[in-house]
Amino acid sequence: MVTAVITHEDCLAHETPPGHPERPARLVAVQESLNSVEFQCLTRIEAPAAATAALVRAHSQALLDLILKDAARRAATGGFVGIDADTVMSAGSAQAALRAAGAVIRAVDGAMAGEFANAFCAVRPPGHHAERDRAMGFCLFNSIAVGALHARAVHRLLKVAVVDFDVHHGNGTQDIFYADPNLFYASSHQSPLYPGTGFASERGVAGNILNVALPPGAGSAEFGTTYSNTILPALERFAPQFIFISAGFDAHRDDPLADMQLDESDFAWATAEICKVAARVCGGRVVSALEGGYDLDALARCASAHVRALMEA
Ligand SMILES: [Zn+2]
């Protein structure tokens, strides 16, 4: 079966101030890399906008009101509206965030219907720092969590899992998943680093959170060991009915925001290994969404390698 790429031009309309690393050119680089000949067989789908009913499964009404009404109204008049120290909204941001979450929902629906085997959501803003009540860290809505909770509510799945290899800890996904034993979140990330969470002692109500912090300078060997010995066995033991990937590529050696030393082959390997678990436990159902990755050339190579691994799964 085929792999789908789900994106929307509206995701380019989320603008950030000059010099901000989370910029529209990131998504342009990813989209261009996926236009090469080897990717012609991908199923390409335009992301719908997420409905409020889907967003409220992961977020409070107060956060929805802030992003979709209060801040959106102020941003519509031009200029940037600050959400936190490094998170801003422009006139196009609310729509971009709705498309980003909508992409993951569409990916879930397509995978459940057998329309495609797996899917990559090429979207921004990223999502994994967005908590139930708080947008932060370049993130407005937690798209992967919205998709995971959609899979449970609409497709009647019980156990779903998110694996997050972004170099930053996904505090938002952890927050949303923490109290539900049937939601599993596993993260590898650099520590110390923003946002300062993600210690092994943060385990969820039923051991359903798994954090592996890696030191600055960690590379392929540490990353491989983390997945082979810890994250992949725990994922398989949890036996989810659907696996999501928070696909951030900022643990690449060229990334300016962190100090890990991975290259694109490490992301391809991790993707392939996650897909092998998925083939054994959940019919191969895997949906990934772009999180970080701030060196444009490295990001393009990593996204290509990631999608190639999904296609070969
Ligand atoms: Zn990141």
Side-chain angles (χ1 to χ4, degrees):
M1 258 205 302
V2 294
T3 292
V5 167
I6 306 179
T7 188
H8 199 285
E9 293 304 297
D10 284 355
C11 291
L12 299 171
H14 166 55
E15 292 171 16
T16 52
H20 196 291
E22 205 296 281
R23 55 210 193 274
R26 296 179 60 241
L27 185 55
V28 173
V30 170
Q31 290 172 338
E32 285 180 353
S33 76
L34 297 178
N35 281 337
S36 74
V37 176
E38 67 171 309
F39 296 120
Q40 278 178 352
C41 56
L42 291 170
T43 296
R44 294 173 195 270
I45 297 172
E46 283 216 323
T52 301
L55 297 170
V56 294
R57 294 190 190 106
H59 295 296
S60 64
Q61 189 62 47
L63 180 63
L64 266 57
D65 288 345
L66 171 69
I67 302 300
L68 299 177
K69 293 179 181 168
D70 303 349
R73 199 154 37 226
R74 283 182 280 141
T77 60
F80 295 108
V81 172
I83 301 296
D84 80 354
D86 46 26
T87 311
V88 298
M89 287 181 65
S90 69
S93 297
Q95 192 60 26
L98 290 173
R99 296 284 185 190
V104 184
I105 290 170
R106 178 65 181 83
V108 169
D109 291 344
M112 291 303 298
E115 180 184 358
F116 41 77
N118 52 36
F120 172 58
C121 300
V123 294
R124 57 181 290 279
H128 73 152
H129 293 306
E131 300 180 344
R132 180 169 294 280
D133 301 323
R134 181 166 61 151
M136 60 179 276
F138 312 166
C139 302
L140 298 176
F141 296 135
N142 195 318
S143 301
I144 212 88
V146 169
L149 296 178
H150 170 83
R152 294 218 313 184
V154 173
H155 297 284
R156 308 271 172 194
L157 304 184
L158 177 62
K159 300 171 77 172
V160 299
V162 172
V163 178
D164 184 339
F165 54 59
D166 189 282
V167 79
H168 302 94
H169 178 238
N171 60 291
T173 312
Q174 174 171 301
D175 173 61
I176 294 163
F177 279 26
Y178 208 84
D180 189 327
N182 290 312
L183 295 173
F184 179 73
Y185 174 70
S187 173
S188 60
H189 47 271
Q190 181 185 317
S191 179
L193 191 67
Y194 182 90
T197 51
F199 296 99
S201 58
E202 299 160 25
R203 301 190 64 250
V205 289
N208 55 305
I209 304 290
L210 175 59
N211 286 309
V212 182
L214 297 168
S220 294
E222 295 92 335
F223 184 77
T225 301
T226 293
Y227 277 82
S228 294
N229 293 355
T230 306
I231 290 182
L232 294 166
L235 179 66
E236 185 143 4
R237 271 197 306 277
F238 181 74
Q241 294 160 291
F242 206 111
I243 298 176
F244 295 83
I245 303 175
S246 266
F249 302 110
D250 39 10
H252 192 281
R253 69 175 79 245
D254 294 340
D255 199 274
L257 264 56
D259 304 296
M260 280 182 60
Q261 302 294 323
L262 303 187
D263 67 26
E264 44 274 31
S265 67
D266 295 303
F267 296 110
W269 173 80
T271 303
E273 292 297 313
I274 293 166
C275 287
K276 285 180 196 169
V277 174
R280 290 194 289 269
V281 302
C282 60
R285 289 194 290 261
V286 172
V287 164
S288 70
L290 180 64
E291 301 281 2
Y294 302 97
D295 178 88
L296 297 186
D297 290 338
L299 173 60
R301 293 198 305 275
C302 289
S304 290
H306 172 66
V307 172
R308 207 174 287 129
L310 290 176
M311 291 165 67
E312 292 167 358

